[in-house]
């Protein structure tokens, strides 16, 4: 608490706070920081909750250095920005601990509101976009049902982000908060297979559907040896460990426990994968990235933590094939050395192969983490639904699809993006759907 108050005092109460403009959900950052400075920690948490459905999550996984903190006026004075992310995490954790104390002291909790007579809306997917939308619609007086394909609620927050970065108890606490305001959850239900979107409208009588099914389809490079045993996507690796208890020695979920792990990619998911591999006993864990470290999309903090933990970084290298042993198991990654050329469409300098510069790295597990594509089940199952590039759902500025009562947001619209952008979509879609349904009335 003392550290948080000291940090909060650094906020200069700007007349035009750039930090708020940099936040995808528009949190009133100066107000919540001022509450922390005064020691009003519960008020700080309530201020966060006015605009953000999952502050304890955002405080841990948001790229603040590219968003709110990047606009802090301290940058102009050549000093560190106010640590908005850490302050957000502090306030949300303080509130959670206070509520848990009340629950353990058996303080009477308010009854869960009934949903009788309310207009009903459905949510497909329980990741950040879906949870954000569900919370907003519940606040607006709707009966909300969230349909989740897997056996646990939380989407990418559960299957994609390791426990050491985002503990499950924090995600579960936020989900229970939604249950407390009447949101219902249906697990093991694949919309597009178990039930169709048409069923939700016609048979079950939902007035609106928000699709937040994410981008869980892994991308691969299409190079020789990619089908070898021991080459898998970061999605599969992290899902086995995070959601299927594979890190528990007593568990029967198979997960490769390797000596020499190579992770292909330089994003946050690559950092999660390589740090997980070290925790599961790898002797060496190496990030292989085709550009330089400056171009890495991962958060600076994640790269720093990976280095602290002993991860090796092999930048300006790109796999061109995988070699296998006599049993068909990967044993080497053959790498092409690269140099940086002219900038490409992303603004980053394009990696160019150096002719004849090839080397071989020993590896008995390769985790490919080069991005994801949208889950195709929902988009492909809805007749007349207009799709965007790479199988995303096409939406207008209101996040409305070509089917009037069907809205979509998060990675199913954006491709692989951040938790906070997905939450912003959920919030935006709730406002738009609510306005449309009220106008219809």
């Amino acid at each position: 608490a003392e550290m948080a108050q000291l940090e909060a005092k650094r906020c200069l109460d700007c007349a035009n706070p750039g930090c708020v403009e940099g936040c995808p959900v528009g949190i009133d950052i100066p107000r919540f920081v001022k509450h922390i400075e005064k020691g009003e920690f519960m008020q700080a948490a309530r201020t966060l909750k006015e605009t953000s459905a999952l502050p304890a999550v955002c405080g841990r996984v948001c790229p603040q250095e590219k968003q709110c903190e990047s606009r802090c006026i301290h940058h102009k004075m050549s000093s560190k920005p106010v640590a908005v992310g850490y302050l957000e995490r502090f306030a949300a954790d303080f509130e959670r601990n206070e509520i848990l104390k009340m629950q353990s002291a058996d303080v009477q909790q308010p009854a869960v509101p009934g949903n009788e007579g309310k207009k009903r809306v459905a949510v497909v997917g329980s990741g950040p976009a879906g949870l954000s939308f569900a919370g907003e619609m519940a606040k607006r007086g709707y009966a909300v049902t969230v349909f989740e394909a897997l056996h646990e609620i939380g989407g990418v927050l559960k299957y994609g982000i390791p426990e050491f970065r985002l503990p499950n108890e924090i995600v579960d606490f936020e989900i229970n908060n939604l249950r407390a305001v009447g949101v219902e959850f249906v697990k093991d239900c694949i919309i597009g297979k178990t039930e169709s979107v048409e069923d939700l409208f016609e048979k079950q009588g939902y007035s609106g559907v928000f699709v937040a099914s994410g981008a869980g389809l892994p991308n691969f490079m299409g190079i020789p040896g990619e089908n070898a045993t021991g080459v898998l996507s970061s999605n599969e690796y992290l899902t086995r460990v995070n959601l299927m208890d594979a890190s528990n020695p007593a568990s029967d979920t198979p997960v490769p426990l390797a000596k020499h792990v190579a992770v292909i990619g330089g994003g946050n998911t690559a950092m999660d994968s390589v740090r997980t591999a070290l925790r599961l006993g790898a002797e060496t864990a190496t990030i292989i990235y085709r550009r330089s470290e400056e171009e890495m999309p991962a958060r600076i903090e994640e790269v720093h933590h990976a280095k602290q933990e002993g991860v090796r970084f092999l930048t300006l290298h790109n796999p061109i094939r995988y070699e296998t042993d006599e049993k068909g198991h990967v044993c080497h990654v053959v790498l092409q050395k690269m140099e940086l050329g002219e900038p490409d469409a992303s603004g980053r300098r394009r990696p160019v192969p150096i002719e004849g510069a090839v080397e071989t790295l020993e590896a008995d597990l390769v985790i490919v983490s080069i991005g994801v594509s949208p889950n195709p089940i929902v988009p492909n199952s809805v007749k007349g639904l207009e799709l965007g590039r790479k199988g995303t759902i096409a939406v207008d500025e209101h996040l409305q699809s070509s089917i009037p009562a069907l809205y979509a947001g998060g990675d199913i619209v954006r491709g692989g993006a951040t938790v906070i952008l997905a939450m912003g979509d959920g919030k935006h879609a709730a406002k738009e759907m609510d306005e449309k349904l009220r106008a219809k009335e």
Side-chain angles (χ1 to χ4, degrees), residues 4-13 19-20 27-41 43-45 47-48 68 82-88 90-91:
Q5 286 180 273
L6 273 173
E7 183 62 22
K9 279 178 185 169
R10 296 182 60 234
C11 178
L12 299 176
D13 299 325
C19 54
V20 178
I27 290 170
D28 188 343
I29 293 168
R31 181 154 60 96
F32 106 77
V33 171
K34 188 55 65 181
H35 280 309
I36 291 177
E37 186 184 329
K38 293 176 182 173
E40 299 163 353
F41 304 141
Q43 286 95 317
T47 302
L48 287 164
C68 52
V82 174
V84 177
Y86 288 158
L87 291 174
E88 181 178 24
F90 169 81

Side-chain angles (χ1 to χ4, degrees), residues 49-87:
K49 284 278 175 77
E50 285 171 17
T51 37
S52 172
L54 309 166
V57 172
C58 293
R60 287 169 165 83
V61 303
C62 260
Q64 284 95 4
E65 71 280 0
K66 293 176 185 171
Q67 294 174 344
C68 52
E69 292 178 14
S70 73
R71 308 282 189 95
C72 182
I73 199 164
H74 276 283
H75 284 295
K76 292 183 179 175
M77 298 177 284
S78 300
S79 60
K80 281 188 176 178
V82 174
V84 177
Y86 288 158
L87 291 174

Side-chain angles (χ1 to χ4, degrees), residues 106-338:
D106 220 15
V107 175
Q108 181 95 24
Q109 299 298 311
V112 175
N115 285 326
E116 299 78 19
K118 293 179 179 178
K119 199 175 275 279
R120 300 167 69 223
V121 294
V123 186
V124 181
S126 67
L131 295 178
S132 174
F133 176 88
E136 289 293 324
M137 289 304 264
K139 272 187 209 168
R140 287 173 157 83
Y142 290 85
V144 185
T145 307
V146 179
F147 294 90
E148 169 55 50
L150 298 176
H151 62 284
E152 282 203 36
I153 303 300
V156 71
L157 304 175
K158 278 279 183 77
Y159 75 74
I161 302 176
E163 186 89 2
F164 58 82
R165 200 151 77 87
L166 178 62
N168 283 343
E169 64 177 328
I170 286 165
V171 183
D172 289 335
F173 179 82
E174 301 290 7
I175 289 163
N176 287 334
N177 283 344
L178 292 175
R179 283 197 175 101
V181 293
V183 176
E184 294 178 1
F185 292 94
V186 178
K187 296 184 275 193
D188 300 306
C189 181
I190 304 171
I191 300 301
K193 295 278 186 189
T194 319
E195 302 257 6
S196 70
V197 169
E198 287 84 358
D199 287 342
L200 297 180
F201 285 123
E202 293 160 18
K203 291 185 185 172
Q204 299 198 36
Y206 288 100
S207 301
V209 174
F210 178 63
V211 178
S213 51
L217 187 67
N219 296 338
F220 285 93
M221 297 174 68
I223 60 176
E226 210 162 42
N227 292 326
T229 308
V231 178
L232 66 166
S233 71
S234 52
N235 277 45
E236 181 180 348
Y237 183 68
L238 291 172
T239 300
R240 284 175 181 270
V241 175
N242 297 341
L243 206 60
M244 298 167 71
D245 201 30
S247 56
N248 177 357
S251 164
D252 62 359
T253 300
V255 68
L257 299 173
K259 287 186 178 179
H260 304 291
V261 178
V263 177
I264 316 303
N268 291 324
T269 307
M271 299 305 149
D272 288 343
S273 301
V274 79
R275 293 171 69 196
T276 296
L278 277 180
R279 283 162 173 73
L280 291 179
E283 291 174 15
T284 65
T286 307
I287 285 282
I288 297 168
Y289 183 57
R290 62 189 185 137
R291 289 183 165 98
S292 72
E293 192 176 311
E294 286 71 40
E295 282 82 25
M296 267 188 191
R299 295 183 66 192
I300 294 164
E301 183 179 37
E302 296 304 315
V303 174
H304 172 68
H305 287 158
K307 285 182 175 176
Q308 276 187 320
E309 291 171 13
V311 171
R312 300 193 308 184
F313 282 74
L314 202 54
T315 55
L316 290 168
H317 284 74
N318 201 37
I320 51 175
R321 71 176 183 276
Y322 303 114
E323 294 178 347
T324 60
D325 60 20
E326 64 281 358
K327 293 180 180 174
H329 196 286
V330 68
C331 59
H332 293 110
V333 186
V334 180
L335 300 165
Q336 169 70 59
K337 292 183 83 171
M338 314 293 279

